[in-house]
Amino acid sequence: MILKYSPKKMRGAWLGIPFLGYMDSSFIEIEFEEDAVTPHVGGDGTVTYILNASQLAKATITIVQGSPTNQLLSAKTPDPSRDFMPTGSFHFTDLNGATVVSSDAAVIQKMTKVEFGKALTARKWTFLLPVATINAGAGRA
């Protein structure tokens, strides 16, 4: 079996702002903040599993410095001096397969780090997904 993958088949957006111009290497990282299950070992050695109700996830999207997405996300970065904290729908889909991530009330955690150098630099945007649904699906043959 041969599996096919193309980074051009990644689709993502937040508040309708599309993620355009992904950086090379690892450009999307999404994971839950806490373990789904925590073991508790009693004094007699009995193991009890505790199911964690938290569905908080963190998504980091790495975009090239020249992407128009950076300007759009900058305008939506939380600003306590203006009592401004936009939240909205976050979606990411891998059209190569069945991986899908979504959350209805995502927010940008903080402004991206800005740096310049001799080579092209990245802008990393981190989103908090309070009630995330993550399906790490298989690729397509």
Side-chain angles (χ1 to χ4, degrees):
M1 176 190 317
I2 296 175
L3 298 177
K4 299 176 186 176
Y5 167 78
S6 170
K8 291 186 176 202
K9 291 189 174 186
M10 302 293 166
R11 299 288 185 270
W14 172 69
L15 279 178
I17 299 170
F19 304 136
L20 302 172
Y22 296 121
M23 197 66 180
D24 59 352
S25 190
S26 178
F27 51 85
I28 298 171
E29 296 177 47
I30 303 170
E31 69 177 335
F32 285 108
E33 284 289 281
E34 299 180 32
D35 293 340
V37 175
T38 304
H40 173 269
V41 181
D44 63 354
T46 302
V47 177
T48 302
Y49 292 119
I50 303 156
L51 184 61
N52 188 344
S54 174
Q55 292 176 288
L56 175 64
K58 188 179 282 190
T60 302
I61 311 298
T62 307
I63 298 178
V64 297
Q65 70 188 37
S67 171
T69 298
N70 294 310
Q71 183 64 32
L72 297 170
L73 293 177
S74 289
K76 299 292 185 184
T77 300
D79 182 353
S81 69
R82 297 186 299 142
D83 194 27
F84 181 70
M85 188 173 67
T87 61
S89 181
F90 177 101
H91 294 283
F92 172 78
T93 304
D94 173 10
L95 299 176
N96 294 291
T99 298
V100 178
V101 177
S102 66
S103 182
D104 289 338
V107 64
I108 294 174
Q109 187 173 21
K110 67 178 179 179
M111 174 61 79
T112 183
K113 176 182 174 182
V114 175
E115 66 178 318
F116 294 93
K118 183 177 178 181
L120 189 66
T121 60
R123 304 289 188 257
K124 287 189 175 199
W125 293 94
T126 301
F127 297 86
L128 297 176
L129 317 177
V131 181
T133 301
I134 300 175
N135 176 35
R140 291 200 176 114

